[in-house]
């Protein structure tokens, strides 16, 4: 099964590369310029030391995966390539995992690349003779958050793309879902009574920051697994064709 | 020797729409069989159930009733074994438009062949066969309809399957391209492969197929060789036109009403 997953990833990767080298060749460049050069240059030392970079790594990976995952099945359906893909000897899981993994690799790869490039302006402008690097705990957090964020977007995106008739429809549904996912907790917390908010802040400050990060990553991973399980259950060849 | 046995198959789709809600019968208690090495034509107007038959044979759809055997195997239960044995050319281009011809064939090769050398050799052979070697590095989105069709057939032949399903193989292809595709299909039959062709083009069916099955609204209307079908028309019509064409046979059985 692993070689089949790799074959699907190879095909998907070639398609993504062809897409990015075409009309959309500027978007990864803009992404790396903003998050790998401009923001780190402005923020300086805080960029490598603050836990804010963890939020950024999760958000960036999620955003990058979102930009390509809607195409996974809806794109195959729109281009009429789904029929032959499903009629091939590939198993359901190798198709599904191949598409999810390639999106995760792209999302995390671009995020990590921008974070590595970010070390250049930070060190050039704010290094003061020393070498500024991400502390081990922050580095581990970056890896954890970006993988969990990319996994969340990939499994949710595949689930949406499985049933969408067109890529546009999948993108719209995915955008609304992402907005709900990001804004509901923010506005939800703001809507809480003052006393509750104070208690939450008190509880969070009392707990070790590393534990909070681990708990957040754990929660995201659980969500990833849940969505992946639903996507696996909903992947029915006959329904994909007759839909 | 029976290669395909399609026995009493019924397939219904559930349709949910603004004006209609309910079940549509795409294939209705349909039976036919295909012998090994035969070019079998499945004829029918648009929406008559031809593509559904192909999707049922390839295991992409589950029949509501009846039994299907392809090379003695069940397309649903034995799908993994069976998928090495057939090649599918669907109605629409099954090629990835952002990839070039070589990459499209390479992907197919990676799914079915064992070594990189084997993949390379077969890809080169297929590109030569479909006369696209000098355009192999061009993206598919720049190909003409005929080139896409030829490459799609090449893709289906890459793993040397025993059975080829061709769903309207010359749809939107010019005369020259169509004749070249017909040559490939004839060549496959000479190699002992079994071919199922669905088509609306009567000259294509007449030229290619040993036996034909005409279906309409998922029902069997007529079956036989071209000569048998032609002679099945009444005497009266034979007087009007000495020798009816296959178009006449088709229209006689399916009527002149537009389906879409």
């Amino acid at each position: 099964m692993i070689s089949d997953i790799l074959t699907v990833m190879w095909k998907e990767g070639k398609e993504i590369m062809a897409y990015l080298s075409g009309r959309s060749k500027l978007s990864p460049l803009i992404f790396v310029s903003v998050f790998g050069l401009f923001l780190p240059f402005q923020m300086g030392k805080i960029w490598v030391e603050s836990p804010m970079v963890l939020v950024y790594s999760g958000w960036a990976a999620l955003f990058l995966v979102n930009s390509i995952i809607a195409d996974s099945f809806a794109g195959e359906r729109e281009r009429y390539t789904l029929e032959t893909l499903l009629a091939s000897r590939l198993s359901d899981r190798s198709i599904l995992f191949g598409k999810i993994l390639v999106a995760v690799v792209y999302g995390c790869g671009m995020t990590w690349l921008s974070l590595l490039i970010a070390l250049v302006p930070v060190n050039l402008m704010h290094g003061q003779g020393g070498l500024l690097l991400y502390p081990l705990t922050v580095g581990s957090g970056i890896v954890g958050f970006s993988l969990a964020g990319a996994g969340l977007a990939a499994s949710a995106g595949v689930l949406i793309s499985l049933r969408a008739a067109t890529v546009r429809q999948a993108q719209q549904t995915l955008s609304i879902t992402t907005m709900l996912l990001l804004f509901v907790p923010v506005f939800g917390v703001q809507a809480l009574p003052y006393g509750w908010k104070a208690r939450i802040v008190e509880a969070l400050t009392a707990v070790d920051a590393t534990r909070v990060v681990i708990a957040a990553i754990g929660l995201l991973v659980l969500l990833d697994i849940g969505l992946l399980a639903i996507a696996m259950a909903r992947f029915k060849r006959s329904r994909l064709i007759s839909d | 020797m029976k290669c395909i046995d399609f026995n009493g198959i019924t397939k219904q789709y559930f349709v949910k729409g603004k004006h209609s809600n309910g079940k549509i019968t795409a294939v209705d208690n349909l039976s036919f069989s295909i012998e090994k090495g035969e070019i079998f034509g499945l004829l029918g107007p648009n929406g008559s159930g031809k593509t559904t038959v192909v999707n049922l044979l390839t295991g992409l759809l589950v029949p509501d009733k009846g039994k299907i055997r392809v090379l003695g195997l069940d397309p649903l239960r034995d799908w993994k074994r069976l998928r090495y044995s057939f090649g599918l050319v669907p109605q629409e281009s099954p090629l990835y438009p952002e990839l070039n011809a070589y990459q499209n064939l390479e992907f197919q090769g990676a799914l079915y062949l064992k070594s990189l050398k084997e993949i390379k050799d077969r890809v080169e052979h297929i590109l030569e066969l479909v006369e696209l070697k000098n355009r192999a590095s061009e993206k598919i989105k720049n190909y003409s309809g005929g080139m896409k069709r030829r490459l799609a057939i090449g893709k289906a032949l890459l793993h040397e399957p025993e059975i080829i399903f061709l769903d309207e193989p010359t749809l939107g292809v010019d005369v020259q391209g169509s004749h070249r595709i017909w040559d490939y299909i004839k060549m496959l039959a000479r190699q002992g492969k079994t071919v199922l062709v669905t088509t609306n083009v009567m000259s294509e069916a007449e030229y290619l197929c040993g036996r034909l099955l005409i279906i309409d609204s998922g029902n069997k209307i007529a079956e036989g060789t071209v000569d048998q079908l032609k002679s099945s028309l009444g005497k009266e019509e034979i007087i009007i036109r000495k020798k009816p064409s296959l178009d006449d046979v088709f229209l006689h059985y399916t009527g002149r009403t537009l389906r879409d």
Side-chain angles (χ1 to χ4, degrees), chain A residues 7-8 10-11 14-15 18-19 76 79-81 83-91 237-238 241-242, chain B residues 55 60-62 79-80 83-84 86 88 90 92-99 103 106-107 110-112:
Chain A
T7 305
V8 175
W10 173 85
K11 191 272 289 177
K14 289 266 180 196
E15 279 197 291
Y19 172 73
E76 298 261 9
R79 292 188 295 269
Y80 303 107
T81 48
E83 208 173 325
T84 36
L85 184 71
L86 298 178
S88 75
R89 58 154 203 86
L90 286 169
S91 67
R237 288 182 189 232
S238 56
I241 290 297
S242 53
Chain B
N55 285 339
L60 287 174
L61 289 176
V62 183
W79 68 272
K80 205 150 195 177
R83 279 173 192 189
Y84 281 96
F86 70 75
L88 169 67
E92 304 286 348
S93 168
L95 306 164
Y96 294 97
E98 290 292 341
L99 303 187
Q103 289 167 333
E106 217 178 4
F107 175 55
L111 295 180
Y112 292 96

Side-chain angles (χ1 to χ4, degrees), chain B residues 216-259:
Chain B
D216 195 6
S217 305
N219 291 295
K220 183 192 277 192
I221 305 293
E223 190 179 4
T225 63
V226 173
D227 286 336
Q228 282 169 345
L229 289 170
K230 281 182 177 177
S231 58
S232 69
L233 289 190
K235 261 185 182 175
E236 205 178 314
E237 285 177 69
I238 294 168
I239 294 163
I240 298 164
R241 196 177 289 175
K242 263 189 183 172
K243 202 175 178 188
S245 71
L246 199 55
D247 272 311
D248 299 322
V249 176
F250 186 74
L251 289 171
H252 170 82
Y253 283 116
T254 60
R256 289 177 183 273
T257 320
L258 284 174
R259 305 304 206 280

Side-chain angles (χ1 to χ4, degrees), chain B residues 140-175:
Chain B
I140 299 303
K141 64 181 181 186
N142 300 326
Y143 272 29
S144 71
M147 288 162 76
K148 281 183 195 166
R149 257 358 235 169
R150 270 153 47 210
L151 190 67
I153 292 173
K155 187 180 170 185
L157 299 179
L158 195 111
H159 59 292
E160 299 185 89
E162 284 177 61
I163 306 168
I164 324 286
F165 298 116
L166 296 148
D167 198 357
E168 307 205 13
T170 55
L171 188 76
V173 181
D174 63 15
V175 179

Side-chain angles (χ1 to χ4, degrees), chain A residues 146-189:
Chain A
S146 51
L147 280 171
L152 183 69
S155 37
V158 154
L159 192 58
I160 289 165
S161 189
L162 272 172
R163 288 285 170 265
T166 59
V167 178
R168 180 179 283 193
Q169 192 189 339
Q171 270 167 344
Q172 283 169 346
T173 315
L174 194 58
S175 304
I176 293 166
T177 312
T178 311
M179 271 166 58
L180 286 174
L181 200 74
L182 293 177
F183 292 123
V184 165
V186 174
F187 291 116
V189 168

Side-chain angles (χ1 to χ4, degrees), chain A residues 31-43:
Chain A
F31 178 83
V32 172
S33 308
V34 172
F35 296 103
L37 297 171
F38 181 71
L39 283 179
F41 171 76
Q42 280 214 319
M43 296 178 77

